[in-house]
Amino acid sequence: MRRKMVAGNWKMHGSLVENKRLLDAVIAGLDGLNEARFVVCAPYPYLSSIQNALQSTNIAWGAQNVSQFEKGAYTGEVSTTMLKDFGCRYVIVGHSERRALFGENNFIVAEKYLAAQRAGITPILCVGETLEQREAEITEQVIEEQLAAVIELTGVESLSQSVIAYEPVWAIGTGKTALPQQAQDVHAFIRSGIAKKNAAIAKELVILYGGSVKANNAADLFAMPDIDGGLIGGASLVASEFVSICRAAHH
Ligand code: PGA
């Protein structure tokens, strides 16, 4: 049985003071909820303080990006080993902002995914189409290519140690959420495509939806049969919103 999951993606937000206030409220709000998995993905400099804050709670933590390289002369990069030093169990790879703003293509994303898995960190692999691609009716093709790059490099079995997040680019940070059925259709497409390669893995694969998930739409999205939770940007910065979304996954 798949377990629901909610992951917060703080993006480039926060400060030591703000993070403490946010996490104190989130920790209190989620206390005792053990059916769903909760994760916070924070900027690198805060991982140490986040590890301290979350280590004896029911909330796991991770990063929003990682280098595909193990170590060496890669100025400004952060390795999987470094993330492990701070107890990260998850890392987001291939977020559309990384793809669009920092030139990460499908192959680079696949390499990052592989690097994370080799280190024993669960990659949260983001896929999704832009508005132009949706309007051109190539959503499925785009997602298939994004997934194929990973499967070619790592094999379909690797998906058993990963989480996928479907994030339509047009819904991220725009307040325009995909309708539950719209998201469900893509989730079902992803799951059935993987089922053709390995049915058991497809059945257990956790597929999150991301893109303007809020407290007032989370329950409807999470009620869909192939939506196993959410990857939450803006609303993960507001304790009451994030806690409500996590509670929606818990029920
Ligand atoms: P949003 O971001 O919830 O602010 O739309 C989601 C994401 O980028 O993961």
Side-chain angles (χ1 to χ4, degrees):
M1 254 287 276
R2 301 193 298 268
R3 201 167 158 218
K4 286 252 192 310
M5 172 171 168
V6 175
N9 172 12
W10 286 2
K11 307 194 179 184
M12 200 170 73
H13 293 288
S15 68
L16 283 174
V17 172
E18 284 169 22
N19 299 350
K20 179 167 182 348
R21 196 181 307 135
L22 176 59
L23 284 182
D24 282 350
V26 169
I27 291 166
L30 299 183
D31 189 34
L33 305 189
N34 291 312
E35 271 165 45
R37 276 190 285 173
F38 309 123
V39 183
V40 165
C41 295
Y44 297 137
Y46 300 125
L47 289 174
S48 170
S49 67
I50 279 165
Q51 178 178 33
N52 283 329
L54 296 181
Q55 60 191 349
S56 44
T57 71
N58 55 347
I59 307 167
W61 61 95
Q64 301 165 16
N65 183 27
V66 71
S67 175
Q68 65 271 48
F69 303 112
E70 250 179 75
K71 63 173 164 181
Y74 301 105
T75 302
E77 290 292 286
V78 170
S79 72
T80 54
T81 317
M82 295 170 189
L83 297 187
K84 292 276 284 187
D85 264 347
F86 295 98
C88 290
R89 288 190 21 220
Y90 296 90
V91 64
I92 298 171
V93 297
H95 190 279
S96 66
E97 287 151 16
R98 301 292 322 164
R99 294 177 187 264
L101 305 173
F102 300 95
E104 292 187 11
N105 59 29
N106 284 342
F107 183 70
I108 294 173
V109 173
E111 286 189 310
K112 291 183 176 213
Y113 171 103
L114 178 62
Q117 284 197 333
R118 283 199 170 136
I121 299 173
T122 302
I124 302 175
L125 170 67
C126 299
V127 297
E129 81 288 3
T130 63
L131 185 60
E132 296 73 53
Q133 289 164 336
R134 173 161 282 262
E135 284 172 352
E137 295 178 10
I138 55 168
T139 296
E140 293 187 350
Q141 184 189 323
V142 168
I143 288 169
E144 206 165 281
E145 283 167 12
Q146 290 169 333
L147 288 173
V150 169
I151 293 172
E152 260 165 46
L153 187 70
T154 64
V156 73
E157 293 72 25
S158 79
L159 292 172
S160 68
Q161 307 298 325
S162 74
V163 169
I164 289 182
Y166 167 56
E167 298 208 304
V169 179
W170 48 270
I172 296 176
T174 58
K176 244 194 248 169
T177 319
L179 297 171
Q181 188 60 51
Q182 248 176 343
Q184 164 60 26
D185 289 347
V186 179
H187 283 232
F189 169 76
I190 293 171
R191 199 180 304 285
S192 65
I194 292 165
K196 286 183 199 139
K197 297 180 171 44
N198 187 320
I201 284 175
K203 189 159 172 266
E204 291 304 316
L205 181 66
V206 170
I207 309 177
L208 309 179
Y209 167 78
S212 299
V213 178
K214 308 285 176 211
N216 63 14
N217 59 25
D220 288 344
L221 286 160
F222 300 168
M224 302 310 284
D226 288 295
I227 300 183
D228 305 312
L231 180 57
I232 320 299
S236 72
L237 299 170
V238 182
S240 59
E241 280 280 315
F242 190 63
V243 167
S244 298
I245 294 167
C246 290
R247 286 182 170 269
H250 189 260
H251 290 306

